[in-house]
Amino acid sequence: MYWKEKYKTRTVDQYEGYDTIYNNIPRLDFAELLDHMEAFTEVHKKYRNAHPAIREAECFDAQFPQMMLGIMPNDLFCGRADIFPLGMNAQYINNEWGFVMNFEWFDGKLEDESVSEKDRRRLLALREYWSDKTSSMRYLNEMDPVEKEYLITGGVGFDPNGQPQAASASSRVAGIFLDYEKLLSYGLAGLMRLISDKQAEHPENDPLFYEGMKIQLGTVIKTLKWYAEEAARLAGEEENEFRRDELLEMERICRKLVTEKPESFREAIQLVIIYTIMDGAREWGRMDDYLALYYKEDMEKGQLDEEEAIRLLSGFWRLMIVKEQITDDRVIIGGLGRKHPKEADVLAMVIMETSRRVKDIVPQLTLRMYHGMKPELYEKALECIGEGVTFPMLYQDENIIPGIQKVFGISYEEALDWMPLGCGEFTVNHRIIASPNGVMNLANVLWGTINGGYDSTNRYLLTPNRTFLTDYDTFEDLWKTYCDNVEYLVNITVKNHSRGYAVIAEDMSLNLHNILYDGCLDTGKGVINGGTSKCAGSDEIYGLVTCSDSLYAIKKLVYEDRVIDRETMLAALKADFAGYEKEYSLMLHADKFGNDLKEVDEMMAAVHEQISFSTLALSGKYFGLDAHGMVNINNRENTVRGRFTGATPDGRRAGESLTNANNPTSGMDKNGVTAFINSLLKARGDIHFGVVQNMKFSKDTFNHMRETVIRPVLDSYFGRGGTQAMITVIGREDLENARKHPEKYSNLIVRVGGFSARYIELDDDIQLDILNRTLN
Amino acid sequence: MADLQIFDLQRFALHDGPGIRTTIFVKGCPLDCLWCHNPESKKYQTQLSCLYKNCVLCGRCVEVCPESVHWIDREGHHIDYSRCVRCGKCVDACYQKALRLYGRRYGIEELLQIVLKDRDFYERSGGGITLSGGEPMSQFQSVKEMLRRAKGEGLHTCLDTCGYAKTEQYAEIMEYVDLFLYDYKITCSKKHIEYTGVDNALIKHNLKFICENGGKVFLRCPIIPGINDEEEHFQAITELSVRFANILQVNIMAYHDMAKSKAAQIGADYPLARLETVEKEQKEKIYERLEMLGCLRLCEG
């Protein structure tokens, strides 16, 4: 039993055939875990009324190194962490941060008959103590009851397996980008001295704020020593000479980092890993830049060659992979504003080659492109993408930086250090936290708007209006209510985002973040407590195009062409189109975004602008959110939220996925890539905190027409303001899936000899024929 | 203003000339090639088509059709295409989108506005507009106007033609065509008549005329096993490539059988039902033979 398995996103089987070893060996058995959790709880009780920095530091010290996992047979670096059913973290686990208890795990154990009566009493005592003290429980219990109906319960009761919502607000922080340059140049001992110096420099600040950081750094040092012992022990048992040397090297590095700053590429990586894993941060910053000089100097000294660097980075990547935080682990390369651009470019090539060889879903390698970038980097990026790696993701600095300046309200120089976090939300490297804590499902905002404020089942409260589709005599009436609903919901998500920060700030100071975020050491305040120059947040948007295509269908079919009346439209949607084949066909075949068609694309742009401006308008209204905006990004949530969204007027059936980011509905962009890109470019790129675009190309086109087609397409996109592209190069599996789900592949064109056909329009035997020919 | 009767418009077309293009497929063709892979392009008139596998036998088409074109029995949905008057009522009634009409008239200006949407892509890729078909020369005045307007906008233009039109018309249209995608199907005159319905003398003459008067040509040669994969034809292709420097590329278009299902959708017979697609290896052999013969500027089609 591995305690983290409660949180798993992959299974051990998925590591078969990979170099990465899934560590499912727990360090603590159940009895030890129970002892540990009690000890941790005692520390919390002892420091309950202490300064948050001290409480945090002492609790942190109570959970390390117990939470660290052992060194696995092919590990090159130390730094694997478990997740316990009770603990504290400074970013999030399952969308919770601060003091966290996995109540589900506890309830399971309490019902487990193999657990002794005595242990059950102990578990129960822990559960009772924490039931009102975890940060998320405090956040939920203190929420305004009316806001809670919209954001959490839908007015019914909280269903942990999910329920319809138009908006929700979680308590967490995402996208911590630490100052690795600072970490590496000072080392742990140097940081300890720096904190003391800053404390002396600022007698006006609370000394406990600094004291907490020092205690916490001490725990990092303690953990490094523990890893050194582990490495030494394993080396003593190791028969393979090569591996023994490797373990001894790991021991040496861990011991060195206790007192000295890193001086080699490998030492630098080890320090970055241990600090990040213990901090809880999930992003890895501008790696090509902060490791550039270590790489260069090691190469010059002859201590490192490119293959060895790739081997080390592969070991680094493997530790990211086993964390299973697949929506994080950003490694950023390239871009304006690097300190060592020339040296960093060299390392960026090595980093891309590492990802090409490892070929996994993390790190989310990100290339920031800019005018004047070395062409080799772009070449290499296209080579990796063409092999189906899907990385690096491409971002165009010149199209992003002006928007960053505007939405964050910062200077050009500050904006140069913008970073895409997680799924693509913008933030500023170790300067501004911009966490996406609110979520909006625009398709359900529309449902509330047309259904008296309720979802398609009439059970869950979504929006504050009490009007129905039948009440709107004009489309403008409907649009106004929709906009009012968005504004209402955005406001309560932002308000609760701010309140969530206040809850956490009472619980902990975020010591390790504070050390490596600009401003905190001087202001004597934490990162979400006024310590940095600014603090920001965002609302994640789902189903934007589902919503805009639906609004367009209503406008066109109900109000303009009058081919469906209002009662029938609502009835058809509630019935999930059963018995309404004609209406279904009309809705499904109404124009869709992504085909370079004026009116429907304009509707998308209007929905995009409305949500963008509604969120921007709240900048500075609530404490801790000096800048606020919307992000329309890309993860699995569009599918999850779709399950709780009734049928929509764009012809989407109940429960199906919502659209992903600002991409067209799957398979509904039928006019080719150029039309798709023209549509994308109609949505403004300078009024949000991140929007992502997925593009798919066939392997044949991407690799054999790279110069004649792919480069011109990408040049046109980025040349006309495109901010970002995530490129998938598709192959055989698409043809297979197209046969199973033809409705999603109407844009799949097959090319054989001199003409094209839409694959799904071909007869079965011919499809099979092409599939077979393509495959062999 | 002239109109064009077209059966398809494809943006992001990558195989109809250089770069990224928009291809307009003009409806109607004077030839009747046995292997034609776009059987819906042959007739000038609009045509009813049915994707039978989408049909759920709901019977709405039967109800709305004034000419009794459709009927449904135990064996399925039947269509008497010859009785269809192209009113489109059944297409509107078909919620499954199994029925459609091939052929729609567009104004030149309307088409041009669609084409111009991708101007930036053309400029960056060396692409442009292609008029294909069917046979674009069969709607000569409109096609010429379309090309003239496109040239006026500074676009690169391709004309995909079978060569069977009056020489004077080629002379007239040449100034608006940057590149001819010129089909060369069968060398033997008799066989040409047998398999395409027309003699090839005019086609050969027009090719010579275009090449000698400054036209740029990609010679596109469909190779149909058992019909034209023979020495005489390969030699003729080779000779053309040697004789005319203005043939910038010789493209081999190996036969494939995807037209089978397309023909069934419009109720047409497909005489080559048993002929199978030319596989990669066979195609490579064709290339080798042509190279051996000394064919110049041979390129993947």
Side-chain angles (χ1 to χ4, degrees), chain A residues 582 585 589 596 671 674 678 708 713 715-716 720 751-752 755 760-763 767 770 773, chain B residues 11-12 14-15 20 51 53 95 97 117-118 120-121 124-125 253 256 258 261-262 265 277 279:
Chain A
K582 178 185 161 195
S585 178
H589 295 105
D596 202 5
N671 280 352
T674 54
N678 287 348
T708 52
V713 164
D715 287 352
S716 178
R720 289 186 289 153
R751 193 84 205 171
V752 183
F755 88 107
I760 59 156
E761 289 182 5
L762 296 165
D763 285 347
Q767 286 186 355
I770 292 166
R773 267 189 272 142
Chain B
R11 292 170 69 176
F12 195 58
L14 307 179
H15 301 267
I20 296 167
L51 192 59
K53 68 176 182 178
Y95 303 149
K97 300 281 168 188
K117 286 181 170 191
D118 287 346
D120 192 59
F121 295 99
R124 289 173 191 270
S125 68
M253 326 287 279
H256 52 76
M258 289 163 90
S261 65
K262 279 187 167 185
Q265 288 166 22
T277 295
E279 298 296 341

Side-chain angles (χ1 to χ4, degrees), chain A residues 4-30:
Chain A
K4 188 185 166 190
E5 285 205 333
K6 269 286 167 197
Y7 303 91
K8 76 185 172 207
T9 49
R10 294 169 118 187
T11 67
V12 67
D13 300 339
Q14 282 164 297
Y15 291 90
E16 266 177 35
Y18 283 85
D19 288 339
T20 305
I21 296 177
Y22 183 79
N23 187 354
N24 57 353
I25 305 165
R27 286 200 34 240
L28 308 186
D29 61 21
F30 177 66

